[in-house]
Amino acid sequence: MKRIIIAIVLAVLTSGLRAQGWKMVIEKTDGTRQELLTSDIADVRFTEETAPALEDRNVDQIIIKEVYCGGCPKDDGSGYFHQDKCIVLYNNCPQQIVANNLCFAFCAPYNSNSKNENYTSTGELVYEAEGFLPAQNGIWYYPGSLVIEPFEKIVVNVQGAIDNTLTYSQSVNYANADYYCMYDPESGYNQTNYYPAPVDVIPTSHYLRAVKYGQGTAWPLSVTSPALFIYQPQGTSPRAHASNADNIWYSPGVAQSPITACVKVPAEWIIDGVEIYNAGKKEENMKRLTADVDAGYVYLTNQLGHSLYRNVDQEETEARPENQGLIVYGYALGSDPSGIDAEASIRRGAHIVYQDWNDSSSDFHERQKCSLRD
């Protein structure tokens, strides 16, 4: 659409109409309008709007709190619905976080039980010694300063930034002005089944942008077992890094095509990650994230509305004086060893500290429903 508008405007500017006193009329969303003589216009272009950058602060305290990617049952029993994924980030410290150009990616191959060509003959991941992770297909990023207040979450919708519960009662309602969403049709991720126009209450300033270098029209985050990670580029922008052909990488022995294209993400840029295994393929799963990012894994049973949720650090949470009398015990939606119901405690005003040992085997559990449905 932007290209069409620019083409029309430039056609007017370069024609004799400029001399006839034509005007460009700009109608703004606040109802006001502005008129410009075409004779006063030299060029027209669209640029990506970004807020003025704030200084990074406590970026290493961002954690992935929850991943909902496996879909939920359809109400009529005909199958499951999975175009409603989300990632929940969390500030795990008592200071404000400011993170510029925060990126989201997943490691190759797409599924934990897929054939994995990334191992040496002695069982090491080929990219571990080289100090990077292969981000497959494309990356998403927030083009500005993401601010997360102490012990607060940020919900990032991956697909379907609408009220999905109107159609599927066990899905998620994303009609919330505080939520963020991955929505950038001009990137090539434009399949409307996955990316309907976001609900109006989500401001456009909360839209993430994408760089697609792989194949397809939807970011193919696995519904069974993604190896998800977040990172922050240093000394370059997300777009410049992911668009640089010198950073493209392919798994050894696979055909080099957009289907298998990855971008090398340096290990020192990575903030957090979670290795998710397919619970139905326990004998076939293989690690993709390196041990310094995630030394373990967590199982997901998909199609049931389940999510992967981080365990509470019981000692640290109970030690915070402001939590006295606010912690709710008797958690029944998963196997968190602490027994603390984090979401119920948060609703009472408690500040939850989550476990972060870089080991999903001890840091996460499978939750019976996404916490956004509590």
Side-chain angles (χ1 to χ4, degrees):
M1 177 60 73
K2 291 178 183 176
R3 294 188 182 95
I4 295 172
I5 294 172
I6 291 173
I8 293 172
V9 172
L10 291 178
V12 170
L13 295 179
T14 56
S15 71
L17 295 176
R18 168 181 274 175
Q20 298 176 25
W22 280 63
K23 293 181 179 180
M24 175 186 288
V25 180
I26 303 170
E27 294 189 357
K28 301 181 180 180
T29 56
D30 62 4
T32 62
R33 55 190 285 164
Q34 183 179 4
E35 296 184 0
L36 299 173
L37 286 171
T38 55
S39 58
D40 293 335
I41 301 172
D43 191 16
V44 176
R45 65 174 63 89
F46 288 90
T47 60
E48 187 172 301
E49 180 182 358
T50 59
L54 303 174
E55 185 177 349
D56 282 330
R57 187 179 307 138
N58 302 310
V59 176
D60 62 341
Q61 291 301 308
I62 302 174
I63 59 172
I64 298 170
K65 170 183 169 179
E66 185 174 17
V67 180
Y68 170 65
C69 63
C72 66
K74 292 183 176 180
D75 291 5
D76 61 5
S78 63
Y80 78 107
F81 172 68
H82 64 86
Q83 290 98 331
D84 61 345
K85 305 176 182 71
C86 74
I87 301 161
V88 182
L89 305 180
Y90 188 76
N91 180 348
N92 209 34
C93 78
Q95 288 83 39
Q96 184 189 70
I97 287 174
V98 179
N100 289 289
N101 293 323
L102 186 70
C103 300
F104 296 77
F106 60 83
C107 197
Y110 297 104
N111 303 314
S112 60
N113 58 297
S114 298
K115 185 178 181 181
N116 194 331
E117 302 283 1
N118 295 329
Y119 278 86
T120 68
S121 59
T122 54
E124 290 87 21
L125 287 163
V126 296
Y127 42 79
E128 185 163 14
E130 297 183 48
F132 71 88
L133 287 183
Q136 192 161 12
N137 194 268
I139 61 104
W140 288 87
Y141 66 97
Y142 183 67
S145 302
L146 187 66
V147 178
I148 315 178
E149 298 301 331
F151 304 114
E152 292 291 336
K153 69 183 178 186
I154 290 287
V155 174
V156 180
N157 167 269
V158 174
Q159 292 156 353
I162 59 176
D163 183 357
N164 297 286
T165 64
L166 297 176
T167 307
Y168 306 105
S169 63
Q170 296 183 62
S171 185
V172 179
N173 176 11
Y174 293 106
N176 190 313
D178 293 330
Y179 290 0
Y180 291 71
C181 65
M182 296 179 178
Y183 186 71
D184 186 11
E186 292 193 355
S187 70
Y189 291 137
N190 53 20
Q191 189 177 150
T192 55
N193 286 344
Y194 289 84
Y195 305 105
V199 64
D200 289 345
V201 298
I202 299 178
T204 56
S205 60
H206 285 193
Y207 290 6
L208 277 71
R209 300 294 180 235
V211 181
K212 184 174 86 74
Y213 40 83
Q215 184 166 298
T217 54
W219 194 51
L221 186 70
S222 173
V223 299
T224 64
S225 50
L228 180 71
F229 63 96
I230 57 175
Y231 69 95
Q232 184 188 49
Q234 302 297 318
T236 185
S237 71
R239 182 168 297 279
H241 173 256
S243 301
N244 187 341
D246 291 339
N247 295 325
I248 294 292
W249 182 86
Y250 300 93
S251 297
V254 304
Q256 296 187 6
S257 74
I259 296 175
T260 55
C262 300
V263 156
K264 296 185 288 185
V265 177
E268 60 268 24
W269 292 1
I270 297 168
I271 301 166
D272 196 20
V274 53
E275 179 86 51
I276 300 172
Y277 274 7
N278 185 336
K281 302 285 185 179
K282 290 189 176 181
E283 302 304 317
E284 302 172 28
N285 295 310
M286 298 182 73
K287 284 281 294 178
R288 293 153 294 178
L289 297 181
T290 52
D292 57 329
V293 176
D294 185 358
Y297 55 85
V298 58
Y299 285 115
L300 172 65
T301 308
N302 75 323
Q303 304 185 15
L304 300 178
H306 293 185
S307 71
L308 288 315
Y309 192 93
R310 193 174 283 268
N311 293 332
V312 174
D313 187 322
Q314 182 175 359
E315 182 178 353
E316 291 294 328
T317 299
E318 291 177 339
R320 298 199 63 80
E322 72 271 21
N323 287 342
Q324 186 69 33
L326 299 178
I327 298 174
V328 179
Y329 295 89
Y331 179 63
L333 291 174
S335 57
D336 184 335
S338 75
I340 293 174
D341 189 327
E343 295 298 322
S345 300
I346 290 169
R347 288 193 291 272
R348 293 183 64 176
H351 291 156
I352 298 297
V353 180
Y354 290 96
Q355 195 163 284
D356 187 19
W357 294 351
N358 290 341
D359 184 345
S360 289
S361 298
S362 57
D363 286 347
F364 280 85
H365 66 274
E366 184 170 2
R367 198 177 196 269
Q368 292 178 17
K369 63 177 180 178
C370 178
S371 67
L372 303 184
R373 296 186 57 235
D374 283 9

